[in-house]
Amino acid sequence: MTIAVDKLSDPAVRRLLGAVNSGNRDAFFAALTDDATMSDDGSQRDLADWVDREIFSSHGHIEVQTEKSNGRALVADFRNDAWGEMRTAWKFTVASDGRVSHFDTGQA
């Protein structure tokens, strides 16, 4: 059973994933700190390049299965036109201003 993005516990994560699922690149970057970083399968990636390739140009969509750590650790089914669907794990760091400053993702 999936958890609707608008029901996620953490408001920063809710905003970020809502932007993913609506295909709204501007809202996605507005939900991040100016110096936000990310990693994929343990390797640091260029955030803008990764997001454009894996989410926005390939119609990425996320369906959350479980959440832990007050909504900052998720297991989700992620799909895009490039890779199809895969089970993924996500961990988010939220800054004091309420925006995501870092996220890790990878195969779950």
Side-chain angles (χ1 to χ4, degrees):
M1 185 159 149
T2 61
I3 302 169
V5 168
D6 64 350
K7 301 294 184 201
L8 293 172
S9 299
D10 189 277
V13 174
R14 203 167 44 235
R15 279 191 300 277
L16 193 71
L17 297 189
V20 169
N21 286 350
S22 66
N24 189 333
R25 187 180 190 280
D26 290 339
F28 182 89
F29 280 99
L32 295 171
T33 60
D34 294 340
D35 61 348
T37 58
M38 63 88 51
S39 65
D40 183 4
D41 285 326
S43 297
Q44 290 294 321
R45 305 285 187 207
D46 177 277
L47 189 141
D49 176 65
W50 187 92
V51 165
D52 284 337
R53 185 174 14 90
E54 300 290 336
I55 297 175
F56 296 108
S57 69
S58 61
H59 306 103
H61 188 85
I62 192 164
E63 290 186 5
V64 177
Q65 303 301 315
T66 64
E67 68 171 353
K68 294 181 182 175
S69 299
N70 298 314
R72 294 184 182 179
L74 310 175
V75 172
D77 292 330
F78 180 78
R79 69 177 182 274
N80 65 22
D81 294 346
W83 303 105
E85 186 169 311
M86 66 194 90
R87 181 66 48 109
T88 54
W90 299 76
K91 292 181 184 165
F92 300 90
T93 303
V94 177
S96 60
D97 70 356
R99 295 185 296 164
V100 173
S101 62
H102 181 82
F103 66 90
D104 298 296
T105 187
Q107 299 247 5

